[in-house]
Amino acid sequence: MYGEAVALGAGTVLNALATGVGSAFALDAETTAWVELDDSGVVEGAIAGAPDGDTRLIRRCVERVVDRFGDGHGGHVRTESDVPMAAGLKSSSAAANATVLATLSALDVPVGDGADAVLDREAACRIGVAAARDAGVTVTGAFDDASASMLGGVTVTDNTADDLLAREPVDWDALVWTPAERALSADADVARCERVAPMADLVADLALDGRYAEAMTVNGLAFSAALGFPTDPAVEAMPHAEGVSLSGTGPSVVAVGDRDELERVRDHWTQREGDTWLTTTRTDGARVIE
Ligand SMILES: Nc1ncnc2c1ncn2[C@@H]1O[C@H](COP(=O)(O)OP(=O)(O)OP(=O)(O)O)[C@@H](O)[C@H]1O
Ligand SMILES: O=C(O)C1=C[C@@H](O)[C@@H](O)[C@H](O)C1
């Protein structure tokens, strides 16, 4: 009983830590999960390149799918990822979505919009969100990040109800800067984020109006200030990018817009320590590998 699936990392339009409403867009950065089920009743996990990595999230994803669709199975889950962990690029959502889809595939449960499908990808995504809450790796459940990773494009969600408010395809080039430091979402200063709630409401209005790039720039200024990250990378990008923001709870910064203009931003950002790379948005989302 074997399954394999891929899900995407994402960047932030609106951080949900202030009000519960959030927005994110899928990036071309993939996490793959391999799941082998057996009759052991115990789930073990491994993360490629991180022998001491915290596997609670991916093990809990397998357990939740097995509880609902399996028969007391245990087994083994392994992930491998292009998405750096705890860097603001939704590594947890990508790992959860890939693991949920791979486990469903191992159990031969069809996912999607087809006539034989038992659940659609949005419902599969909610299983991963529940597992993230169980594992304590999220503040709000991060349905914004998880839905972007699973469905592709940009999504706007109300994480207090796991409600999908909007979803649109977006076709942008994106520039990502990831410094070496790491910031776990679960450790973020939520009280500081709540202080910028009026700005978060404004960002939500802009996003629901389809003005995603401007929304993310306002988000970046507000949440960089709240969480204590520098705004210099955003100020360097603003003359060239359509939008730029601190992503998630940091420390990565993502700019979107025209590739030639983003190459000019790259000239600034590569002078900083850390990794800077050009990528694109993705509209296809997560998939099972048959
Ligand atoms: N590739 C992976 N395989 C297994 N578990 C992972 C993987 N990536 C992340 N995780 C889990 O998610 C946790 C990090 O979650 P966190 O929300 O802090 O990071 P993030 O999703 O990258 O950040 P943000 O929500 O700010 O974008 C890790 O401690 C680990 O438990
Ligand atoms: O843990 C959470 O609830 C979240 C973490 C960050 O990625 C945020 O960007 C997201 O909106 C919510």
Side-chain angles (χ1 to χ4, degrees):
M1 305 177 81
Y2 171 78
E4 183 178 338
V6 171
L8 305 176
T12 290
V13 172
L14 169 58
N15 186 321
L17 264 60
T19 65
V21 175
S23 174
F25 56 96
L27 289 170
D28 186 17
E30 296 189 339
T31 299
T32 306
W34 294 268
V35 171
E36 182 90 56
L37 296 178
D38 56 34
D39 295 328
S40 67
V42 178
V43 179
E44 290 177 345
I47 305 173
D52 299 323
D54 180 355
T55 60
R56 267 177 305 178
L57 171 64
I58 51 176
R59 286 185 285 118
R60 194 67 197 121
C61 286
V62 175
E63 287 165 2
R64 275 199 168 260
V65 175
V66 164
D67 284 351
R68 195 155 145 201
F69 297 101
D71 187 16
H73 300 91
H76 194 269
V77 50
R78 187 172 76 87
T79 58
E80 191 174 306
S81 187
D82 300 337
V83 187
M85 244 191 277
L89 299 171
K90 326 307 181 185
S91 66
S92 50
S93 298
N97 284 333
T99 302
V100 166
L101 289 183
T103 313
L104 289 165
S105 173
L107 290 167
D108 282 328
V109 178
V111 184
D113 302 322
D116 64 335
V118 173
L119 72 174
D120 61 17
R121 289 190 301 173
E122 197 180 318
C125 176
R126 288 196 175 86
I127 301 175
V129 167
R133 289 193 174 107
D134 296 342
V137 298
T138 174
V139 178
T140 68
F143 185 55
D144 50 345
D145 304 345
S147 56
S149 163
M150 180 66 96
L151 304 174
V154 61
T155 61
V156 185
T157 64
D158 178 352
N159 295 354
T160 63
D162 290 348
D163 211 3
L164 185 62
L165 304 176
R167 177 180 168 235
E168 272 187 55
V170 281
D171 184 13
W172 293 323
D173 286 299
L175 182 73
V176 183
W177 172 58
T178 303
E181 66 186 287
R182 290 294 174 259
L184 289 171
S185 298
D187 295 342
D189 190 337
V190 178
R192 290 272 303 175
C193 292
E194 285 170 351
R195 297 183 77 96
V196 302
M199 285 298 100
D201 287 337
L202 173 64
V203 175
D205 288 346
L206 288 168
L208 288 169
D209 217 17
R211 296 167 67 182
Y212 298 110
E214 292 155 284
M216 74 188 275
T217 302
V218 178
N219 176 82
L221 293 176
F223 282 91
S224 297
L227 293 169
F229 288 99
T231 48
D232 305 9
V235 173
E236 286 163 8
M238 269 184 226
H240 308 291
E242 286 173 30
V244 57
S245 179
L246 180 75
S247 193
T249 53
S252 297
V253 179
V254 181
V256 298
D258 177 78
R259 195 168 187 96
D260 292 345
E261 290 293 311
L262 293 180
E263 281 171 2
R264 298 177 67 180
V265 180
R266 184 175 60 180
D267 294 341
H268 290 281
W269 287 5
T270 48
Q271 291 170 32
R272 299 179 173 278
E273 283 189 23
D275 292 332
T276 298
W277 81 94
L278 269 166
T279 182
T280 60
T281 51
R282 286 265 296 262
T283 54
D284 54 347
R287 68 187 188 282
V288 169
I289 310 289
E290 300 293 350

